[in-house]
Amino acid sequence: MSAGQHHRRSVPGRRGRLAALAAFTVLASGALTGVAPAAFAAGDGRPFNDALDHAAESYDVPRDLLAAVGYGESRLDGHDGQPSQANGFGVMHLVSNPEQRTLEEAARLTGRSPAELRRDTGSNLLGGAAVLRARADALGLSAAERDDIDAWYGAVAKYSGAEAATARLYADTVYRFLADGLHTSVDGEQVEVAARDVAPEIPEAPEVGPAAVSQDYPSARWVPAAAGNFASGRSAAISQVVVHVTQGSYAGSISWFQNPTAKVSAHYVIRSSDGEVTQTVKDADTAYHARSANASSLGIEHEGFVDDPAWFTEAMYRSSAALTAYLCEQYGIPKDRAHIVGHVEVPGNDHTDPGPNWDWAHYMELVGGESGAVDELTFASYATQLSGSSGPQVKAVQRLLTDLEYAPGAVDGAFGSATQAAVRAFQKDKGLEADGIVGKATWTALLSAGSTPTLRSGSSGEAVSRLQRALTAASGRTVAVDGSFGSGTAEAVRAYQSARSLEADGVVGAATWQALQSGR
């Protein structure tokens, strides 16, 4: 075929041949009315459904296609108008960065302001539909062709704003959602797309070409990042794997790494829905992903958002764990939590990923390494524990209380009445609010409890480890727990002292220990 011609590729649905049942049903509450709604209005009980209908009908875009594009971009979550890594917004990920300006384009096409398009889901859906229609018009789709969902493949690829193979990854993902069907919810509203056979018309053109195969990890695709977003070679041996979350979609993140203005990258990106892996920087090169650890680490990005555990699928966990295990074996990296770390745990970083929804214990079990914590007391962050909580952090609370001769009951990871009573007794003794809830103050007091030797740069041992854990709990920022009082610990101590009006000398003496052990 010549350039510009198309061929159809059949992608059968997993749940049968349901093309006739292509209706997208949303059970919701409210209605989109008027020209420029500020938000969903209470009305007939169908706000998201009505917004989706309105956007699709306004720009003659197939409704299920619009839903599938939005699902691939955001899982239909607008994230309260917060930007993605690529500075994209809303359900339809309307982008405003030096290389892509679909937010501004949508504002021009719809007459909505950028602020509305960023924060109002109805407006954002309209903006996404308008941009999709513009891409279809640019490809010359007729009214009849616009009624054929398979004819939109090229427009979807163009909507991604990505180059070559990445555009194909993007469009393939959308059509896989259409083939498999979707079942999700928006603010409790059930959202469904029935599975159907799809045979998208794929342009025979470079912008939707296939991806190459990785030479470092043969089961991965190879889509290289822009040359300015990584450094050739390394200045240190590979000794760590760093786990990240993209704060955006799979294809969108790969595309962002191809954007020469991004100045960021990672070695690998993993798709949520099926665990597909794409490599963007060679292992031998230095990706820009973790500041102080760039030279000595391999970065793995996971599609999704830190605050939404729905992105962390079993397929993603297993695919990522297989990749991490392979990399550890290739480069002699120990399979433990001192060497397989989260972005939040790397000194000098200001990110929180992978966040509290990432299941470290499960992940490390799949990797075939040691458990999700360096020891039973050390975690990247300390979450609030209360009656009914369970898991390794409850077990840590119980162990600490037992060591301090309180009586939390069995050290079994289940926060029951005995543990609650022991927590209250400890809190009362420390002058804390005796509510039986282990929050920041109680964690800080528990983790710092014990002897109070003077500690300074160069100190080492168990007391330094206690200090490092307590600083992590008190500050909400990970302090590496290695029992060695180095520059990172000194910096954390000074920050803690300054925030509490103590002498910020970086030396842990009686006053600093007293503040920690009283939960300040």
Side-chain angles (χ1 to χ4, degrees):
M1 297 181 185
S2 63
Q5 290 182 302
H6 304 75
H7 70 273
R8 287 184 180 263
R9 182 179 61 189
S10 178
V11 183
R14 294 179 186 172
R15 289 182 284 165
R17 309 300 185 255
L18 301 175
L21 301 179
F24 187 142
T25 303
V26 182
L27 303 177
S29 59
L32 179 80
T33 58
V35 176
F40 293 145
D44 67 357
R46 295 162 50 86
F48 192 88
N49 186 36
D50 288 345
L52 194 64
D53 273 344
H54 180 73
E57 292 169 6
S58 294
Y59 292 97
D60 197 19
V61 176
R63 179 177 171 168
D64 285 5
L65 182 80
L66 186 63
V69 170
Y71 186 82
E73 288 284 13
S74 66
R75 294 300 188 267
L76 305 181
D77 184 344
H79 298 283
D80 296 321
Q82 295 302 304
S84 72
Q85 180 174 236
N87 206 44
F89 298 89
V91 168
M92 299 303 297
H93 196 243
L94 298 174
V95 178
S96 178
N97 65 50
E99 297 294 317
Q100 190 179 5
R101 297 194 177 276
T102 52
L103 178 68
E104 290 80 3
E105 181 182 5
R108 176 176 56 80
L109 292 170
T110 64
R112 306 294 173 102
S113 70
E116 286 179 293
L117 292 163
R118 284 193 296 265
R119 298 196 63 86
D120 174 47
T121 296
S123 297
N124 191 269
L125 284 165
L126 274 172
V131 174
L132 269 171
R133 172 61 186 275
R135 302 295 177 267
D137 289 349
L139 292 173
L141 266 64
S142 66
E145 288 171 323
R146 291 197 300 272
D147 290 337
D148 178 4
I149 205 166
D150 290 327
W152 285 80
Y153 185 99
V156 171
K158 291 282 191 182
Y159 183 90
S160 72
E163 300 176 5
T166 309
R168 183 162 185 165
L169 289 177
Y170 183 96
D172 282 352
T173 298
V174 169
Y175 277 82
R176 175 56 61 187
F177 289 146
L178 291 169
D180 291 350
L182 298 173
H183 180 84
T184 187
S185 64
V186 177
D187 295 330
E189 306 160 12
Q190 295 306 303
V191 178
E192 297 179 359
V193 174
R196 92 275 313 278
D197 283 340
V198 295
E201 298 177 7
I202 303 174
E204 291 285 349
E207 62 266 23
V208 290
V213 176
S214 163
Q215 297 301 304
D216 288 323
Y217 188 60
S219 58
R221 296 173 182 249
W222 168 244
V223 181
N229 292 341
F230 66 93
S232 296
R234 286 183 179 271
S235 60
I238 298 171
S239 61
Q240 280 189 319
V241 174
V242 180
V243 173
H244 300 264
V245 175
T246 59
Q247 294 300 101
S249 71
Y250 174 66
S253 298
I254 296 167
S255 177
W256 184 234
F257 296 159
Q258 292 180 301
N259 185 326
T261 68
K263 305 306 178 188
V264 293
S265 61
H267 293 91
Y268 297 91
V269 186
I270 300 183
R271 187 160 64 190
S272 170
S273 61
D274 59 3
E276 181 179 270
V277 182
T278 293
Q279 184 177 18
T280 64
V281 176
K282 292 179 180 179
D283 292 357
D285 292 332
T286 303
Y288 298 156
H289 66 104
R291 294 187 184 176
S292 63
N294 284 344
S296 60
S297 66
L298 294 160
I300 303 177
E301 288 277 6
H302 298 80
E303 180 185 25
F305 290 82
V306 166
D307 61 357
D308 186 356
W311 290 87
F312 303 150
T313 64
E314 186 65 15
M316 174 184 278
Y317 276 124
R318 290 185 177 277
S319 175
S320 177
L323 170 60
T324 293
Y326 176 87
L327 295 173
C328 287
E329 289 158 8
Q330 286 291 106
Y331 301 105
I333 303 170
K335 295 177 182 176
D336 60 38
R337 283 283 283 115
H339 296 86
I340 303 170
V341 301
H343 193 180
V344 66
E345 297 171 272
V346 178
N349 282 275
D350 58 1
H351 289 243
T352 62
D353 53 318
N357 293 312
W358 182 260
D359 190 340
W360 276 112
H362 180 50
Y363 186 67
M364 294 303 296
E365 181 181 13
L366 292 171
V367 170
E370 297 178 9
S371 78
V374 178
D375 55 56
E376 291 185 347
L377 301 178
T378 302
F379 300 89
S381 61
Y382 292 88
T384 298
Q385 307 297 322
L386 68 166
S387 182
S389 297
S390 62
Q393 293 203 7
V394 173
K395 197 170 183 179
V397 169
Q398 293 167 328
R399 178 181 159 187
L400 289 164
L401 289 166
T402 299
D403 289 347
L404 294 169
E405 300 185 354
Y406 290 85
V411 180
D412 57 5
F415 199 125
S417 58
T419 300
Q420 185 179 53
V423 169
R424 284 185 173 137
F426 174 81
Q427 291 170 324
K428 183 177 179 181
D429 288 347
K430 293 296 178 181
L432 300 169
E433 182 183 358
D435 57 4
I437 297 172
V438 183
K440 182 170 74 171
T442 303
W443 267 122
T444 301
L446 277 170
L447 290 163
S448 62
S451 62
T452 58
T454 298
L455 302 174
R456 54 172 51 88
S457 290
S459 298
S460 62
E462 183 275 336
V464 175
S465 294
R466 278 193 291 119
L467 169 68
Q468 291 165 331
R469 295 186 196 102
L471 289 169
T472 295
S475 67
R477 297 285 303 277
T478 303
V479 178
V481 178
D482 57 7
S484 179
F485 198 127
S487 59
T489 301
E491 179 184 347
V493 168
R494 284 191 292 270
Y496 175 85
Q497 292 170 326
S498 178
R500 288 152 184 81
S501 300
L502 301 171
E503 183 182 358
D505 57 3
V507 177
V508 183
T512 302
W513 275 119
Q514 194 278 330
L516 287 165
Q517 293 187 347
S518 62
R520 288 179 58 192

